[in-house]
Amino acid sequence: MSSQNTYRFQFLLLAVVLLVCFMVNISLGSINIPLKAIFGSFFGSIDTSSNWNIIVLEYRLPKAITAIMVGSGLGISGLLMQTLFRNPLAGPFVLGISSGASLGVALVILGSGLFGGLFATALTTKWSIVIAASLGSFLVLLAVLMVSNKVRDTMAILIIGLMFGSITAAVVSVLSYFSSAEQLQQYIFWGFGSLSNLSWEELFIFFGIYAVGIVLSIASIKGLNSLLLGDNYAKSLGLNLKQSRLIIILATSLIAGTVTAFAGPIAFIGLAIPHLTRQVFKTTNHKILLPAVFLFGAIVMLICDTIAQVPNSDYTLPINAITALVGAPVVIWLLVRQRKMMF
């Protein structure tokens, strides 16, 4: 079988697995819903006032779609960062985007005690937290973009991004020290991550920004393939390094920042998924890797969410705990192997 036919078969298989995981994710939960009822809800063949119809359309379907966008988005962001920095341990939050979002949320939740009455209550609403996380990640993005225009060395950008993360972590620590137990608990719960809190209105906004990031990622495929060969070789191919670097950073920041704003800081998926994909597809061509990472990320996130919602139980585990159980062994495996995966 030729390599092209092998890739087609692998993509078809992944698409089927994604569909199965999507249906299983909607079906399982505290109440198990038969597939017949799920299809009935999709196509309007059951009573719109029935409990199953409400559960499927108002809760589980938005959550499953969120899982697909979060998993695929973080996976693609991780792939972009690993290629840009030529570092197999780089992830989507290496630029400090997640730290910026966390700082924005911390200022709202932990800093709300500085304000009293209705103003403090207004600050801690759901939309205010989403806006604060978005603004925090956007401000860090602006800082990184300004630095990337001044600095030619890609590794310097990586180090500066880590320093931004350290600064924001320090500010969050100071805020935490002066906060009440209730405020700390609310902030910690946000840090656990969640896929189940989005309404359809929020989901459409999430999708709009996510789609822009995906389009930019697709537009950067040629640049990503050139960067694999080194900056000097990429220049010899006529690649505009500064422009390509800006597009890659912008795509990653839009996707990772939006995911953090709407779902919280989801760990390990962005780091682990690109490596799992390379092990299956055995290629460094981003025309193959990008859609493959999309599918792999969506599948793994749906599986993690299905586990987190603990079928036949009223309990729901933190999604971050489940993704860490998937991602951490991959990171350990990378370190133990003591060799580069693709560079």
Side-chain angles (χ1 to χ4, degrees), residues 86 225-237 239 241:
R86 293 193 289 279
N225 285 335
S226 300
L227 287 172
L228 288 175
L229 304 172
D231 291 353
N232 292 331
Y233 192 83
K235 286 181 181 178
S236 69
L237 294 176
L239 181 70
L241 279 179

Side-chain angles (χ1 to χ4, degrees), residues 30-326:
S30 57
I31 299 173
N32 293 340
I33 301 177
L35 291 178
K36 182 179 179 181
I38 294 174
F39 284 112
S41 297
F42 288 168
F43 299 107
S45 60
I46 64 173
D47 185 4
T48 56
S49 64
S50 72
N51 290 334
W52 280 349
N53 191 73
I54 294 171
I55 291 172
V56 169
L57 296 182
E58 298 300 323
Y59 296 99
R60 294 194 183 174
L61 181 58
K63 182 165 66 67
I65 295 173
T66 302
I68 290 174
M69 290 197 291
V70 168
S72 60
L74 291 179
I76 289 174
S77 299
L79 176 66
L80 298 184
M81 289 296 94
Q82 289 171 14
T83 302
L84 177 64
F85 296 116
R86 293 193 289 279
N87 186 338
L89 295 178
F93 301 129
V94 74
L95 295 176
I97 303 301
S98 177
S99 299
S102 299
L103 177 60
V105 174
L107 288 172
V108 168
I109 296 176
L110 304 180
S112 62
L114 299 175
F115 308 96
L118 294 175
F119 190 49
T121 303
L123 279 177
T124 53
T125 60
K126 185 176 178 181
W127 270 112
S128 65
I129 291 174
V130 170
I131 293 171
S134 301
L135 286 175
S137 59
F138 181 69
L139 289 175
V140 173
L141 165 62
L142 285 180
V144 172
L145 289 177
M146 289 173 62
V147 169
S148 66
N149 271 326
K150 303 291 184 181
V151 178
R152 293 184 178 182
D153 186 9
T154 303
M155 292 307 298
I157 299 175
L158 173 61
I159 295 171
I160 291 169
L162 294 174
M163 293 305 100
F164 276 125
S166 298
I167 293 169
T168 55
V171 176
V172 171
S173 297
V174 172
L175 290 172
S176 299
Y177 183 80
F178 292 102
S179 299
S180 66
E182 291 78 11
Q183 291 170 327
L184 285 172
Q185 185 182 49
Q186 186 179 358
Y187 180 73
I188 289 171
F189 281 166
W190 175 81
F192 286 156
S194 176
L195 305 176
S196 58
N197 294 329
L198 298 188
S199 65
W200 281 107
E201 179 186 3
E202 293 166 326
L203 198 60
F204 282 127
I205 296 173
F206 183 6
F207 176 77
I209 305 173
Y210 161 88
V212 174
I214 296 297
V215 170
L216 289 174
S217 302
I218 295 172
S220 65
I221 286 177
K222 181 180 178 181
L224 290 167
N225 285 335
S226 300
L227 287 172
L228 288 175
L229 304 172
D231 291 353
N232 292 331
Y233 192 83
K235 286 181 181 178
S236 69
L237 294 176
L239 181 70
N240 187 327
L241 279 179
K242 182 179 289 188
Q243 182 181 5
S244 296
R245 195 164 60 185
L246 284 174
I247 292 174
I248 293 169
I249 291 174
L250 184 59
T252 301
S253 300
L254 282 174
I255 297 172
T258 306
V259 166
T260 306
F262 283 96
I266 308 296
F268 285 106
I269 292 294
L271 176 60
I273 293 301
H275 293 296
L276 291 174
T277 305
R278 292 188 193 101
Q279 290 303 299
V280 173
F281 280 81
K282 307 293 184 184
T283 182
T284 59
N285 185 354
H286 286 76
K287 288 183 179 180
I288 304 296
L289 282 179
L290 202 70
V293 165
F294 178 97
L295 292 171
F296 255 110
I299 290 169
V300 171
M301 202 68 210
L302 283 170
I303 293 172
C304 289
D305 182 57
T306 302
I307 297 171
Q309 63 194 17
V310 190
N312 300 313
S313 170
D314 293 332
Y315 296 101
T316 302
L317 299 176
I319 189 65
N320 249 338
I322 306 303
T323 56
L325 290 174
V326 173

